[in-house]
Amino acid sequence: MCIWAKVNPLLLIFAATLTAQTVEDARRIERELRDRHVPFGTILDPFFAAPDSEEIRHYTRCGDSAIWTGHYLAAASFRYAVERTPESLEAVEYALEGIRRLTDVTGRDILARCAIPLDAPTAAAIVEEEKHNGVYQGEIYGAPYLWIGNTSRDQYAGVFFGLTAAWNLVDVQPVHDRVSWLTTRLLDELTDRQWIVRMPDGSNSTTFLHRADQQLSLLKLGRRLNPKRFETHYKALANSASATVSIPVAVEAADPHESYFKFNLTSIHFWNLLTSGDNWWIRRNYESAYAILRRTTDDHGNPVFQLIDRAIRGPDTRRDQETRDLLRAWLERPRRDTPV
């Protein structure tokens, strides 16, 4: 058996921009992503019948569909900022529709990990894999769906990364309207419940209460697109807690190996925090915390972290050339992940 490699759409699209045939490579990757990874409107990983087979038996990693759909939206937004074509705008709208589905299906403006049509042939395999997270029933456009709960902060981080990228980079009013609508729904639910994510069975799947840095990351987008609703909340939290942002970052950086994905999450939160304005004192607190992160990750050979660093700190000849080299090397890697 063979699983299609766990996909980071942001890396896929960025890598395509470095080849000799930039536009065609980006379109090829986009087609491949849509053909194989988006059976129900959000990112999943296909499970093939054999290492050399194109037959998809079922899908896996549904539990991380929300975070990777958010990365897909971010990638599509960056691509639109470069190409500004109808095709690249359609990709943004397609990804936004996926996030809407993950919000609508719960019926309560909480975020689902993923959503599968009730009658999908692959539904049983997905449910078996994800049943430990809780399986609930909802509707999308009147059709019955199953959705996976126990939603984590990771899933919200990915979605808000994508929504922030779309707001920052896609200067199209219908896109801004949709981003504003989705963000307001999700943030209203989080703030109304004091940053606790509660499932339909009454269980609490996660809380942001101990992570002021992550609250600020999400609220910062809300402040930009709906200041009447969220600016006061953001400013109050930023003035009282921005000086503490470095604490969880320092704890995470103390062990650069355990739970390595924490660095991806922290990096996308800082992209949200440091790509729009604040007063000098709040920004200095964010920059001090980000400096701790970069001292840990700047030699990891991770092109996503390098790209986020460019967005935050601007051009750097050595780092940017290293990023190009890393992405070219990444394009040579196989796309299949074969379990041993």
Side-chain angles (χ1 to χ4, degrees), residues 99-112:
I99 292 173
R100 174 183 177 163
R101 287 169 172 262
L102 295 175
T103 307
D104 284 356
V105 73
T106 65
R108 294 176 42 204
D109 291 343
I110 58 177
L111 186 68

Side-chain angles (χ1 to χ4, degrees), residues 7-187:
V7 64
N8 184 333
L10 185 65
L11 197 57
L12 285 167
I13 302 300
F14 272 133
T17 67
L18 300 177
T19 65
Q21 296 178 316
T22 299
V23 174
E24 184 51 41
D25 283 341
R27 289 173 179 168
R28 174 182 56 79
I29 288 172
E30 171 76 15
R31 288 193 300 269
E32 190 174 86
L33 194 69
R34 294 270 282 267
D35 288 346
R36 291 179 166 176
H37 286 273
V38 197
F40 314 123
T42 65
I43 297 290
L44 298 173
D45 282 355
F47 202 100
F48 292 95
D52 57 351
S53 172
E54 294 298 317
E55 177 191 352
I56 297 174
R57 287 283 179 86
H58 61 84
Y59 289 89
T60 186
R61 295 167 177 159
C62 175
D64 279 334
S65 188
I67 187 172
W68 294 121
T69 303
H71 278 69
Y72 177 30
L73 176 56
S77 300
F78 278 108
R79 181 183 165 198
Y80 174 80
V82 173
E83 290 189 18
R84 305 184 72 84
T85 61
E87 293 80 8
S88 58
L89 179 59
E90 192 274 336
V92 172
E93 293 168 339
Y94 188 88
L96 278 171
E97 172 61 18
I99 292 173
R100 174 183 177 163
R101 287 169 172 262
L102 295 175
T103 307
D104 284 356
V105 73
T106 65
R108 294 176 42 204
D109 291 343
I110 58 177
L111 186 68
R113 284 179 175 269
C114 70
I116 318 103
L118 184 63
D119 59 355
T122 57
I126 292 173
V127 167
E128 180 62 26
E129 183 178 355
E130 297 292 339
K131 62 185 179 183
H132 63 284
N133 282 320
V135 182
Y136 305 94
Q137 189 163 339
E139 291 186 352
I140 297 176
Y141 299 125
Y145 271 69
L146 299 173
W147 62 275
I148 305 303
N150 194 29
T151 311
S152 66
R153 287 178 287 118
D154 301 10
Q155 308 308 311
Y156 278 91
V159 164
F160 271 77
F161 175 49
L163 291 170
T164 301
W167 182 266
N168 285 359
L169 299 168
V170 185
D171 54 350
V172 176
Q173 191 58 49
V175 169
H176 274 207
D177 291 343
R178 203 165 196 188
V179 170
S180 180
W181 177 60
L182 286 167
T183 301
T184 299
R185 290 172 61 185
L186 291 167
L187 269 181

Side-chain angles (χ1 to χ4, degrees), residues 258-314:
E258 180 68 23
S259 302
Y260 188 80
F261 192 67
K262 63 193 174 186
F263 293 128
N264 183 80
L265 296 169
T266 304
S267 295
I268 61 178
H269 278 302
F270 274 115
W271 191 87
N272 292 354
L273 288 171
L274 287 169
T275 53
S276 61
D278 277 295
N279 67 43
W280 69 270
W281 181 75
I282 292 172
R283 185 172 180 86
R284 184 184 67 181
N285 289 332
Y286 294 159
E287 289 175 341
S288 297
Y290 180 68
I292 296 172
L293 175 68
R294 280 303 288 168
R295 284 197 293 271
T296 303
T297 63
D298 61 357
D299 60 350
H300 286 193
N302 188 314
V304 173
F305 298 166
Q306 305 283 66
L307 290 160
I308 289 174
D309 190 61
R310 179 186 170 94
I312 291 173
R313 291 180 166 177

